């Protein structure tokens, strides 16, 4: 097999290149502040950062390759494992891409429930970000408070999907099933109290001078740098670029919801913190709107060759049973073509690039995940700052190694 | 009393106080875990014994049974010496702390190991020696995290030691003595009204002392040396089993020491909030034990303050920490000295 | 009975010091004998987040730490000077006959020290984040 | 129990001081590391301090002790500046060996 | 209930259907020769660029307002020739629209200009494609494996890569 | 009692001093010096100078030696090569040291009029009274000028240390020369 002639050896650390007095410090993969198995090769001059080189791949599981051997529907559970903190966004993005290829129309109720769940999932993601970020800065308590609310969200997921983290609830063509009867009431109960909880975190952090001093003016990223590095989501908006795919390139019925897209022009870690806090409040509003205007109707598209029939039907109707059998054993074939579907997930712009060759298995699935691009901006944000700022910056860009390594 | 009797009595006192101190350390850990747990909506240790009361003992046993690693890259003699120095210094200060009125027969101090005229300075001296444990631990570990942690920590300790020492000058100015007993008794006249923190107008000094003490003990929000999100374990990254536990114990021991000193210097020591206004009781036993109760209560509340702060505040960045110490606390301490001396001159 | 001589009071302090360090040594020794030893090379390596350590950790470090230590000893001396002054302060008016004698003498002393502190701050010795550390 | 009451002749203290001072001088002569040489100097200072304290005790004169106090203070200042010089030398020569630092010029 | 958006394929057809599209305009004014093919499918515009010209094409669309490099990856059409397809997804913040630039590469010469001078954010993406497909990028600042260990054999996302690994 | 303590801590002192000379690693030497200093503090205590004893601990053992330790850590000073010093030092120095020591000890041992130290006897001959007050009285009244001058000394030391160690000008030259090595 072909060797890679162009691959150079590992770059020499700057100390050996320049003869300066620089200490090379490995942060990670086994390090509490790197949110997983990120490895940062940091060159320090005293406590001042000279360079940061991210080394990734410790969590690489070859999901893109695995997808090529699965039926279209079987890919959905794989996507959960990529950004495990925002599972339903993964599901949604993949389903939307395949539905685009199939040209499927999704019933409105399914769309609304998808929006509702995706926003809950975003809240989940932001809660974990807030907790771990605060913990990196040293505020232990916020972490446990956010996990208290995250637990509620996970219970909601469990009630609807039977799974807490790897939900796989969305199907190509709708949802896997109608949510349980009192589920919407439970969501309502949660979402009514949630803004107070945000206030609670805010009380602990926003006015806290230590927290403010740790974040303000740290990890500055200009709008042009952010765009050059492909930074998306809250970090991009905190740098002053007003782009949110939910509003600007709506999908899954987001155009029917009213929400503000918070931006800031400061571009430091504090701006990212504030943007995300406001985003949590806005997500709460979206969930409220989804609950208020929840339409009735089916939760699955009327496409018997693609969507699994209801259990009841499958047991009573011959045709449904045959469809069920065929979908489960052979999958369904998808017209040849290539589509790219981008959505706005908790961390930024997620994109699924699905190439079909007309068979029942995807020819190529590629995922664009925000953290992968955002990670490239770390060095720009940290250079010349202290090592403690690196921790603040990593926390503020909210990376998930699952989506970087895939 | 012959010197031999004195020696034996002293040995007994030392033994009792050391055991109590070790237990105190163990239960301070438990207190912190329980209290932080309650702050954070958790239970804290609750399985071993009633309310988790046996947890510290089990933890101690576990520390002993853990594998005792000495990494190959370390500089052994100093690597082994460092935890001994750390824990040793944490256990010495208690020797000059009086925790009850002088009750012993023949003028023998039952409630203080050694009643000396320069008690306050002894505490400062012991604190200044505590730096070695941390500096040497990090240096001998031959690990970048340890070295960074230990340099940070030693620089932090020595910086805040200044503020700590200078904040005490106000109290000494008032008392005119370095003897801790004299300092306490001087506060006892009107109870809470003559405590140094209120009556002595040493609130500023208490504030400086509090900040410096938090930094001296490496506690949140000054817990940078062990900021796990940056430096993993800080200076004790390479330490395992009991050697690690000794650093841990040293930290909590220092918390207790600092609490004791704060109680003695600012909060009236073992005297009750009513001070001498409270009529003496008839029972000798109660008279002996009540001061201990007050003393322990005050130290306990001080420790709770520690835990509360830990559950609430994030941590400083290193440059902010140094700036705070040098540019804010130190000048403030000098201002306090000038103010107090001026006030005392014109009073 | 006579009170015990004052200098005896140092004996228990000495004992306490002895006890503290003996206890420490006992703990280190005991844990060495009680704990298990199943060492492997990997366990004994220096910790660097799971990666083989690059270079010697005892590299040279920012000279700023040294400067902090210098400032510390100078201010420490000042603090030690201040303690006897604080002890005698309330008696100084009787000795010298001047109410503010002690105050002024310390104010002059502190003035010089404050000039030093001001110089340090102005010189940027304590600006950890601003410039790159030298050496 | 007679040994408990034994006094120590003051000359013993002075002798100890002399021994320490001589050790300091020897260290100054044989040590090759600039830092250790400096430590030997500190040792000499300490030795002299001991004799000061001893004489202060002998003559009941508190000024002897105060002089030691001043010596300490000077030693602290000296250590600060001396070690700063060592750092400056090290920066220029990248060595601490006394033998190699034989030029006045930095 | 299915609905298909109309597919427009072929350069001329797309030019006729979308005459005012800024990206197409930009590419036409830049170099009509290197702008090989176009397709409009599923509401997405795909523009095929000659392999040697991709960097310049990126600059051209960037200047036309497609300012945000969103994604790039490769597809291996194994037995077919040209074997590799590189897909660049570029988003315009102004037009709220995305285009896809496509480059087809022969197996014999899997090398293409790096677009990191245009968007430095392409760095990791190109390293990933290099790692998993073995496509080289000329002018990349540090082209080495990103996901897999440096001593890994082969490029797993190629279709002829044995899924059980090399024995 | 005094005798025992004297011998014990004089022994520590000597052992520390000798160890200081024997150790090749500067950090060990520094630790030995700390032992010497703390033992000296105890000896001061025996001579009735309790404030000096604790000042010795705080200033010498706790501050000056911290500085030494920092410098050793900072410069990563390794073991020194064991040489026997320069020739001039060994030819002139050692005889001189021996001679000096002989003269000193002869004088000290033959000196008349030196008393002996009794534990608990302070300067005032009144046991139990701290000499701290006495010391402070003299220091802050009679020796006012030297006291104020020390603050000038501290100021100068601060200026000197900062100027020497913080010199930006020498930075480039130094690192170049380091690179050559």
């Amino acid at each position: 097999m072909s060797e890679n002639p162009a691959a150079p050896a590992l770059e020499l650390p700057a100390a050996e290149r320049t003869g300066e007095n620089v200490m090379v410090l490995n942060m990670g993969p086994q390090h509490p502040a790197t949110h997983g198995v990120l490895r940062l090769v940091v060159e320090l001059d005293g406590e001042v950062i000279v360079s940061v080189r991210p080394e990734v791949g410790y969590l690489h599981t070859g999901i893109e390759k695995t997808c090529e051997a699965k039926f279209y529907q079987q890919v959905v559970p794989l996507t959960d494992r990529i950004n495990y903190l925002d599972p339903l966004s993964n599901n949604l993005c993949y389903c939307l891409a395949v539905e685009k290829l199939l040209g499927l129309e999704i019933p409105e109720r399914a769309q609304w429930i998808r929006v509702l769940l995706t926003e809950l999932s975003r809240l989940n993601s932001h809660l974990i970000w807030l907790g771990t970020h605060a913990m990196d800065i040293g505020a232990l308590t916020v972490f446990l408070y956010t996990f208290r609310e995250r637990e509620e969200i996970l219970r909601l997921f469990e009630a609807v999907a039977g799974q807490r983290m790897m939900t796989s609830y969305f199907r190509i063509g709708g949802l896997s099933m109608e949510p349980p009867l009192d589920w919407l009431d439970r969501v309502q109960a949660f979402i009514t109290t949630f803004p107070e909880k945000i206030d609670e975190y805010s009380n602990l952090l926003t006015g806290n001078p230590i927290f403010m001093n740790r974040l303000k003016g740290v990890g500055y990223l200009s709008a042009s740098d952010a765009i050059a590095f492909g930074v998306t989501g809250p970090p991009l908006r905190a740098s002053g670029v007003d782009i949110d795919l939910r509003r600007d390139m709506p999908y899954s019925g987001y155009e029917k919801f009213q929400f503000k897209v918070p931006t800031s022009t400061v571009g430091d870690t504090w701006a990212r913190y504030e943007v995300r806090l406001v985003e949590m409040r806005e997500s709460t509003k979206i969930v409220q709107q989804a609950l208020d205007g929840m339409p009735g109707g089916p939760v699955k598209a009327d496409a018997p060759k693609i969507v699994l029939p209801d259990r009841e039907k499958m047991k009573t109707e011959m045709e449904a049973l045959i469809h069920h059998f065929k979908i489960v054993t052979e999958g369904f074939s998808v017209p040849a073509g290539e589509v790219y579907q981008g959505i706005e997930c908790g961390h930024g712009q997620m994109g699924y690039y699905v190439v079909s060759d007309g068979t029942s298995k995807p020819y190529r699935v590629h995922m664009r995940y925000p953290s992968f691009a955002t990670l490239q901006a770390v060095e720009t944000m940290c250079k010349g700052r202290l090592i403690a700022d690196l921790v603040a910056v990593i926390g503020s860009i909210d990376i998930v190694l699952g989506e970087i390594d895939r | 009393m012959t010197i031999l009797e004195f020696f034996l009595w002293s040995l007994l006192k030392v033994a009792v106080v050391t055991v109590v101190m070790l237990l105190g350390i163990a239960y301070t850990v438990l207190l912190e875990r329980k209290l932080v747990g309650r702050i954070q909506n958790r239970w804290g240790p609750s399985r071993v014994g009633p309310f988790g009361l046996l947890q510290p003992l089990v933890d101690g046993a576990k520390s002993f049974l853990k594998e005792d690693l000495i990494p190959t890259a370390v500089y052994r003699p100093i690597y082994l010496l460092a935890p001994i120095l750390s824990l040793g210094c944490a256990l010495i200060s208690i020797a000059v702390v009086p925790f009850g009125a002088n009750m012993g027969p023949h003028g023998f101090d039952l409630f203080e190991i050694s009643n000396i005229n320069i008690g306050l300075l002894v505490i400062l001296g012991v604190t200044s020696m505590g730096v070695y444990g941390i500096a040497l631990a990090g240096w001998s570990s031959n690990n970048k995290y340890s070295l960074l942690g230990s340099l940070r920590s030693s620089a932090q300790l020595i910086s805040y030691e200044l503020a700590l020492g200078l904040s005490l000058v106000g109290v000494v100015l008032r008392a005119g003595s370095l003897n801790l007993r004299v300092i306490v008794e001087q506060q006892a006249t009107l109870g809470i009204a003559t405590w140094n923190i209120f009556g002595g107008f040493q609130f500023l000094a208490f504030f400086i002392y509090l900040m410096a003490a938090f930094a001296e003990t490496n506690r949140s929000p000054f817990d940078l040396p062990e900021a796990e999100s940056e430096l993993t374990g800080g200076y004790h990254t390479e330490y395992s089993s009991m050697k690690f536990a000794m650093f841990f114990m040293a930290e909590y021991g220092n918390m207790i020491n600092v609490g004791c000193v704060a109680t003695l210097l600012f909060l009236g020591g073992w005297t009750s909030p009513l001070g001498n206004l409270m009529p003496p009781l008839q029972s000798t036993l109660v008279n002996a034990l009540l001061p201990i109760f007050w003393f322990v209560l005050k130290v306990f509340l001080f420790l709770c303050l520690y835990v509360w702060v830990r559950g609430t505040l994030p941590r400083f960045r290193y440059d902010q920490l140094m700036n705070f110490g040098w540019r804010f606390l130190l000048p403030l301490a000098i201002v306090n000295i000038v103010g107090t001396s001026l006030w005392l001159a014109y009073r | 009975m006579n009170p015990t001589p004052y200098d005896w009071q140092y004996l228990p302090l000495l004992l306490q010091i002895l006890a503290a360090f003996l206890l420490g040594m006992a703990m280190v020794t005991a844990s060495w004998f009680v704990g298990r030893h199943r060492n492997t090379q990997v366990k004994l390596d220096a910790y660097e987040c799971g990666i083989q350590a690059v270079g010697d950790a005892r590299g040279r470090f920012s000279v700023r730490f040294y400067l902090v230590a210098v400032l510390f000893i100078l201010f420490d001396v000042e603090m030690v000077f201040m303690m006897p002054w604080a002890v005698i302060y309330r008696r100084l008016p009787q000795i010298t006959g001047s109410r503010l004698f002690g105050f002024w003498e310390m104010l002059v002393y502190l003035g010089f020290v404050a000039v030093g502190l001001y110089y340090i701050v102005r010189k940027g010795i304590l600006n950890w984040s601003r410039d790159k550390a030298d050496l | 129990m007679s040994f408990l009451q034994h006094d120590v002749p003051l000359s013993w203290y002075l002798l100890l001081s002399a021994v320490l001072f001589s050790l300091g001088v020897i260290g100054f002569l044989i040590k090759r590391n600039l830092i250790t040489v400096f430590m030997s100097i500190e040792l000499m200072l300490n030795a002299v301090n001991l004799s000061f304290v001893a004489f202060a005790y002998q003559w009941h004169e508190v000024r002897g002790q105060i002089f030691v106090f001043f010596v300490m203070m000077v030693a602290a200042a000296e250590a600060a500046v001396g070690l700063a010089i060592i750092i400056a030398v090290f920066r220029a020569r990248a060595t601490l060996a006394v033998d190699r630092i034989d030029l006045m010029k930095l | 209930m299915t609905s298909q958006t109309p597919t427009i394929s072929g350069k001329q057809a797309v030019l006729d259907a979308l005459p005012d599209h800024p990206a197409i305009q930009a590419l036409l004014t830049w170099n009509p020769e290197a702008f090989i093919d176009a397709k409009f499918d599923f509401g997405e515009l795909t523009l095929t660029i000659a392999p040697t010209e991709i960097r310049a094409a990126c600059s051209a669309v960037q200047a036309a307002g497609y300012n945000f490099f969103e994604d790039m990856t490769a597809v291996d059409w194994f037995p077919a020739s040209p074997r590799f397809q590189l897909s660049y997804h570029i988003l315009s913040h102004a037009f709220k629209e995305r285009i896809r630039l496509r480059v087809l590469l022969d197996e014999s010469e899997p090398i293409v200009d790096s677009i990191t001078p245009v968007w430095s954010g392409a760095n990791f993406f190109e390293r990933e494609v290099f790692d998993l497909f073995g496509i080289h990028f000329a002018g990349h600042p540090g082209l080495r494996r990103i996901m897999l260990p440096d001593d890994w054999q082969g490029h797993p996302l190629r279709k002829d890569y044995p899924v059980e690994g090399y024995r | 009692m005094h005798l025992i303590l004297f011998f014990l801590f004089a022994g520590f002192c000597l052992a520390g001093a000798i160890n200081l000379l024997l150790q090749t690693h500067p950090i060990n030497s520094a630790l030995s010096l700390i032992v010497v200093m703390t033992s000296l503090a105890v000896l001061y205590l025996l001579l009735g100078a309790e404030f000096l004893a604790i000042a010795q601990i705080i200033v010498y053992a706790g501050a000056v030696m911290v500085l030494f330790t920092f410098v050793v850590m900072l410069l990563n000073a390794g073991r020194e090569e064991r040489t026997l010093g320069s020739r001039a030092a060994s030819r002139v120095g050692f005889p001189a040291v021996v001679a000096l020591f002989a003269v000193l000890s002869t004088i000290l041992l033959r000196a008349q009029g030196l008393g002996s130290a009794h534990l608990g006897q302070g300067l005032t001959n009144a046991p139990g009274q701290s000499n701290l007050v006495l010391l402070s009285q003299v220091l802050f009244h009679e020796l006012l000028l030297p006291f104020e001058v020390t603050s000038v000394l501290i100021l100068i030391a601060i200026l000197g240390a900062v100027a020497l160690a913080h010199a930006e000008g020498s930075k480039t030259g130094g690192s170049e020369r380091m690179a050559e090595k």
Side-chain angles (χ1 to χ4, degrees), chain F residues 19-31:
Chain F
N19 198 37
L20 165 71
L21 302 188
L22 294 182
Q23 288 293 339
T24 51
H25 201 294
I27 204 115
N28 291 342
S29 300
L31 288 177

mmCIF file of all heavy atoms in Angstrom, chain F residues 19-31:
data_model
loop_
_atom_site.group_PDB
_atom_site.id
_atom_site.type_symbol
_atom_site.label_atom_id
_atom_site.label_comp_id
_atom_site.label_asym_id
_atom_site.label_seq_id
_atom_site.Cartn_x
_atom_site.Cartn_y
_atom_site.Cartn_z
ATOM 1 N N ASN F 19 28.631 18.472 56.412
ATOM 2 C CA ASN F 19 27.852 17.936 55.299
ATOM 3 C C ASN F 19 27.768 18.948 54.159
ATOM 4 O O ASN F 19 27.811 18.583 52.988
ATOM 5 C CB ASN F 19 26.456 17.573 55.796
ATOM 6 C CG ASN F 19 25.750 16.629 54.852
ATOM 7 O OD1 ASN F 19 26.388 15.762 54.274
ATOM 8 N ND2 ASN F 19 24.465 16.816 54.673
ATOM 9 N N LEU F 20 27.684 20.203 54.558
ATOM 10 C CA LEU F 20 27.653 21.269 53.546
ATOM 11 C C LEU F 20 28.871 21.184 52.638
ATOM 12 O O LEU F 20 28.796 21.366 51.429
ATOM 13 C CB LEU F 20 27.592 22.616 54.247
ATOM 14 C CG LEU F 20 27.909 23.867 53.436
ATOM 15 C CD1 LEU F 20 26.798 24.139 52.464
ATOM 16 C CD2 LEU F 20 28.096 25.054 54.341
ATOM 17 N N LEU F 21 30.019 20.854 53.271
ATOM 18 C CA LEU F 21 31.239 20.782 52.475
ATOM 19 C C LEU F 21 31.296 19.506 51.662
ATOM 20 O O LEU F 21 31.828 19.495 50.548
ATOM 21 C CB LEU F 21 32.459 20.842 53.397
ATOM 22 C CG LEU F 21 32.562 22.077 54.282
ATOM 23 C CD1 LEU F 21 33.890 22.098 54.993
ATOM 24 C CD2 LEU F 21 32.398 23.332 53.450
ATOM 25 N N LEU F 22 30.754 18.428 52.222
ATOM 26 C CA LEU F 22 30.921 17.137 51.554
ATOM 27 C C LEU F 22 29.954 16.942 50.394
ATOM 28 O O LEU F 22 30.275 16.272 49.424
ATOM 29 C CB LEU F 22 30.748 15.994 52.559
ATOM 30 C CG LEU F 22 31.836 15.934 53.630
ATOM 31 C CD1 LEU F 22 31.607 14.738 54.534
ATOM 32 C CD2 LEU F 22 33.210 15.852 52.985
ATOM 33 N N GLN F 23 28.761 17.503 50.535
ATOM 34 C CA GLN F 23 27.759 17.261 49.485
ATOM 35 C C GLN F 23 28.179 17.932 48.183
ATOM 36 O O GLN F 23 28.720 19.038 48.192
ATOM 37 C CB GLN F 23 26.403 17.814 49.918
ATOM 38 C CG GLN F 23 25.752 17.010 51.008
ATOM 39 C CD GLN F 23 25.342 15.624 50.570
ATOM 40 O OE1 GLN F 23 25.181 15.370 49.383
ATOM 41 N NE2 GLN F 23 25.204 14.726 51.530
ATOM 42 N N THR F 24 27.887 17.251 47.097
ATOM 43 C CA THR F 24 28.229 17.854 45.818
ATOM 44 C C THR F 24 27.048 18.546 45.172
ATOM 45 O O THR F 24 27.224 19.404 44.331
ATOM 46 C CB THR F 24 28.756 16.783 44.851
ATOM 47 O OG1 THR F 24 27.826 15.713 44.838
ATOM 48 C CG2 THR F 24 30.117 16.311 45.255
ATOM 49 N N HIS F 25 25.854 18.135 45.564
ATOM 50 C CA HIS F 25 24.694 18.782 44.953
ATOM 51 C C HIS F 25 24.327 20.017 45.771
ATOM 52 O O HIS F 25 24.187 19.931 46.987
ATOM 53 C CB HIS F 25 23.521 17.810 44.903
ATOM 54 C CG HIS F 25 22.523 18.204 43.874
ATOM 55 N ND1 HIS F 25 21.789 19.347 43.986
ATOM 56 C CD2 HIS F 25 22.165 17.639 42.704
ATOM 57 C CE1 HIS F 25 21.007 19.457 42.933
ATOM 58 N NE2 HIS F 25 21.228 18.432 42.126
ATOM 59 N N PRO F 26 24.194 21.151 45.119
ATOM 60 C CA PRO F 26 23.925 22.384 45.866
ATOM 61 C C PRO F 26 22.675 22.306 46.727
ATOM 62 O O PRO F 26 22.616 22.917 47.794
ATOM 63 C CB PRO F 26 23.763 23.445 44.791
ATOM 64 C CG PRO F 26 24.145 22.842 43.521
ATOM 65 C CD PRO F 26 24.346 21.394 43.688
ATOM 66 N N ILE F 27 21.659 21.552 46.283
ATOM 67 C CA ILE F 27 20.440 21.542 47.085
ATOM 68 C C ILE F 27 20.687 20.838 48.406
ATOM 69 O O ILE F 27 20.157 21.217 49.441
ATOM 70 C CB ILE F 27 19.261 20.927 46.298
ATOM 71 C CG1 ILE F 27 17.933 21.422 46.855
ATOM 72 C CG2 ILE F 27 19.259 19.439 46.365
ATOM 73 C CD1 ILE F 27 17.162 22.240 45.912
ATOM 74 N N ASN F 28 21.547 19.805 48.390
ATOM 75 C CA ASN F 28 21.892 19.147 49.650
ATOM 76 C C ASN F 28 22.667 20.081 50.549
ATOM 77 O O ASN F 28 22.465 20.121 51.763
ATOM 78 C CB ASN F 28 22.718 17.895 49.368
ATOM 79 C CG ASN F 28 21.904 16.826 48.709
ATOM 80 O OD1 ASN F 28 20.684 16.878 48.753
ATOM 81 N ND2 ASN F 28 22.550 15.876 48.083
ATOM 82 N N SER F 29 23.575 20.840 49.937
ATOM 83 C CA SER F 29 24.335 21.799 50.731
ATOM 84 C C SER F 29 23.394 22.807 51.360
ATOM 85 O O SER F 29 23.535 23.160 52.540
ATOM 86 C CB SER F 29 25.344 22.525 49.838
ATOM 87 O OG SER F 29 26.224 21.601 49.278
ATOM 88 N N ALA F 30 22.425 23.263 50.583
ATOM 89 C CA ALA F 30 21.489 24.248 51.113
ATOM 90 C C ALA F 30 20.724 23.659 52.292
ATOM 91 O O ALA F 30 20.556 24.318 53.327
ATOM 92 C CB ALA F 30 20.522 24.691 50.020
ATOM 93 N N LEU F 31 20.294 22.405 52.154
ATOM 94 C CA LEU F 31 19.558 21.790 53.265
ATOM 95 C C LEU F 31 20.441 21.658 54.489
ATOM 96 O O LEU F 31 19.994 21.872 55.621
ATOM 97 C CB LEU F 31 19.019 20.427 52.834
ATOM 98 C CG LEU F 31 17.865 20.495 51.848
ATOM 99 C CD1 LEU F 31 17.441 19.111 51.431
ATOM 100 C CD2 LEU F 31 16.685 21.221 52.464
#
